[in-house]
Amino acid sequence: MKKTGILLLVVTFVSMSFTNPIQKYNVDVENSKITWKGYKPTGSHEGTIKLQSGSLIKAGGVISEGVFTADMTSIKDADGSARLEGHLKSADFFEVETFPTATFKISNVTTNDTSNKAWITGEMTIKGITKEIKFPATISNSDETITITSETFQINRAEFNVKYKSKTFFNDLKDKFVNDEFDLQVTIVAKK
């Protein structure tokens, strides 16, 4: 009787493995993008950061894992200001000589059965500091390609020890501060 039960369990597991295969998708870094926008009382700046690498794992038809590495040395200002780009790369902001990459590791994807909308939760690491973040996204999922398009969401730079003109760290800035929250929008294209 025990042998029959164990055999049935093994057969069930093996058949599930074939009906719900685990599939790996590698990020197409040329067609993926990260856009950012930062704010201060007198205006805003925006630009891009390139992805360096990444992968997604799909199990049972849904995304179960993912990890992405952003090349922080690739920070670009949309207006082409080399001065601003250099400042963002400096120790005042992202300190790219010491921390050339930032990462995001997916820990959970919650989808709505009636749409492609999802909530993606994961651990973001910037400047060696890891925080959990959650953001809404649309997922387009086919056998060969997965595309994740986030809505615009905000990151608090102070949580990652990015101090320049931050009201979290300095209380005498008056209107000479830079907002702690900045916008991110991410589009990830991953292929088998």
Side-chain angles (χ1 to χ4, degrees), residues 116-182:
N116 290 332
K117 292 284 183 183
W119 279 95
I120 297 175
T121 305
E123 294 182 340
M124 179 168 281
T125 302
I126 300 173
K127 293 183 71 173
I129 298 169
T130 302
K131 298 287 181 182
E132 183 177 88
I133 66 164
K134 183 176 183 179
F135 58 87
T138 301
I139 300 174
S140 301
N141 198 341
S142 73
D143 191 47
E144 296 299 317
T145 305
I146 297 173
T147 303
I148 299 173
T149 307
S150 79
E151 294 181 15
T152 298
F153 61 99
Q154 290 196 321
I155 298 293
N156 185 332
R157 67 187 176 99
E159 293 182 350
F160 298 95
N161 205 32
V162 179
K163 296 181 179 180
Y164 183 76
K165 291 191 177 181
S166 165
K167 284 186 167 183
T168 299
F169 298 101
F170 308 102
N171 58 13
D172 59 347
L173 296 170
K174 297 183 183 173
D175 64 347
K176 303 291 184 190
F177 65 91
V178 175
N179 291 24
D180 284 343
E181 291 77 20
F182 66 95

Side-chain angles (χ1 to χ4, degrees), residues 53-145:
S53 63
S55 63
L56 287 168
I57 302 293
K58 188 165 78 169
V62 296
I63 296 169
S64 61
E65 296 176 44
V67 63
F68 312 99
T69 301
D71 177 4
M72 297 302 288
T73 68
S74 73
I75 295 173
K76 293 289 180 195
D77 169 50
D79 293 327
S81 169
R83 182 171 175 255
L84 175 60
E85 290 170 8
H87 196 199
L88 291 172
K89 294 174 186 179
S90 77
D92 279 346
F93 282 94
F94 296 103
E95 203 172 345
V96 302
E97 282 191 21
T98 305
F99 304 101
T101 61
T103 60
F104 180 72
K105 184 176 182 182
I106 293 174
S107 58
N108 187 43
V109 178
T110 306
T111 57
N112 182 333
D113 291 338
T114 59
S115 72
N116 290 332
K117 292 284 183 183
W119 279 95
I120 297 175
T121 305
E123 294 182 340
M124 179 168 281
T125 302
I126 300 173
K127 293 183 71 173
I129 298 169
T130 302
K131 298 287 181 182
E132 183 177 88
I133 66 164
K134 183 176 183 179
F135 58 87
T138 301
I139 300 174
S140 301
N141 198 341
S142 73
D143 191 47
E144 296 299 317
T145 305

Side-chain angles (χ1 to χ4, degrees), residues 29-41:
V29 295
E30 294 303 317
N31 290 307
S32 299
K33 67 177 182 175
I34 302 168
T35 58
W36 59 267
K37 187 171 186 177
Y39 301 89
K40 57 185 180 178

